[in-house]
Amino acid sequence: MMQGLGTIVVQVLRFLLYVLVHMLIVSRLPSLFGVGWCFFYVGFLLFLPIATPIVALLVLSFATGFAMDLFYDTGGVHAAAAVLLGYLRPWVLRLLTPRDGYDAQDSVNIHQMGWQWYLVYTALLLVLHHTVFFFLELGSLRVVGLTLLKILVSTLFTGITLLIVQLVFFPARRRR
């Protein structure tokens, strides 16, 4: 019971860290060429433990997106994209399951899972999140070319930022 409570406290602190860093630092960064934004807060959802139950994942996804919607006054666009990411994450994890499967304590960690696994996992979920976000934000299919460019540049910007976070802040323990 105490271990479960400790895990919850750690995840609440991680949530606060990602959301506050996004709101206080990342939101002040200029866009890349007017078409690329860093969605740093998505790292909280991507890096949750692999064994996170789907209901908890969806609640956390909504809470994260809702916090961003309140901050940016975007009327649910962040929440919708984040909930879709939370819903699709277990499917992507199943798609990328290693031959030996995941250990119960595994987390999304480039050092444990390897570069190829991490890059495919991150790219798939970021592209899906950003696609939903930018098309909902636009509200139509009028400027598809510009929207696709925003998706590509923002995916690269967010992906590189989260890769740096993984390399600097996540432990380099290897799986046995």
Side-chain angles (χ1 to χ4, degrees):
M1 168 110 170
M2 207 54 174
Q3 184 180 4
L5 184 61
T7 302
I8 291 171
V9 169
V10 167
Q11 295 311 323
V12 167
L13 292 174
R14 284 185 65 247
F15 169 81
L16 291 173
L17 179 70
Y18 274 94
V19 169
L20 289 174
V21 166
H22 184 93
M23 289 177 177
L24 298 174
I25 299 170
V26 176
S27 68
R28 298 181 195 283
L29 295 175
S31 64
L32 285 180
F33 312 110
V35 293
W37 290 266
C38 181
F39 292 83
F40 182 78
Y41 71 90
V42 174
F44 169 69
L45 301 171
L46 292 176
F47 304 153
L48 282 168
I50 290 174
T52 303
I54 184 70
V55 172
L57 187 58
L58 292 174
V59 169
L60 291 170
S61 297
F62 178 75
T64 306
F66 186 68
M68 290 300 112
D69 284 325
L70 288 176
F71 180 72
Y72 287 110
D73 193 25
T74 49
V77 177
H78 286 279
V83 168
L84 180 71
L85 184 148
Y87 178 76
L88 294 176
R89 182 179 182 258
W91 294 76
V92 172
L93 285 170
R94 255 183 258 123
L95 177 72
L96 299 175
T97 301
R99 189 174 10 149
D100 303 339
Y102 298 112
D103 290 335
Q105 71 275 10
D106 274 347
S107 62
V108 175
N109 184 323
I110 194 168
H111 304 293
Q112 290 179 0
M113 307 312 268
W115 280 87
Q116 183 179 5
W117 184 96
Y118 175 82
L119 292 176
V120 171
Y121 167 81
T122 306
L124 272 172
L125 287 172
L126 286 178
V127 165
L128 290 167
H129 173 273
H130 291 14
T131 299
V132 169
F133 177 84
F134 285 114
F135 278 110
L136 283 175
E137 179 190 55
L138 182 62
S140 74
L141 297 175
R142 286 188 315 246
V143 278
V144 174
L146 177 61
T147 303
L148 293 175
L149 182 63
K150 286 180 179 182
I151 293 166
L152 175 68
V153 175
S154 296
T155 298
L156 290 171
F157 190 6
T158 305
I160 290 169
T161 303
L162 295 178
L163 176 64
I164 292 168
V165 167
Q166 277 278 318
L167 293 173
V168 172
F169 295 107
F170 280 67
R173 286 181 290 131
R174 285 242 171 238
R175 275 202 311 178
R176 291 179 202 179

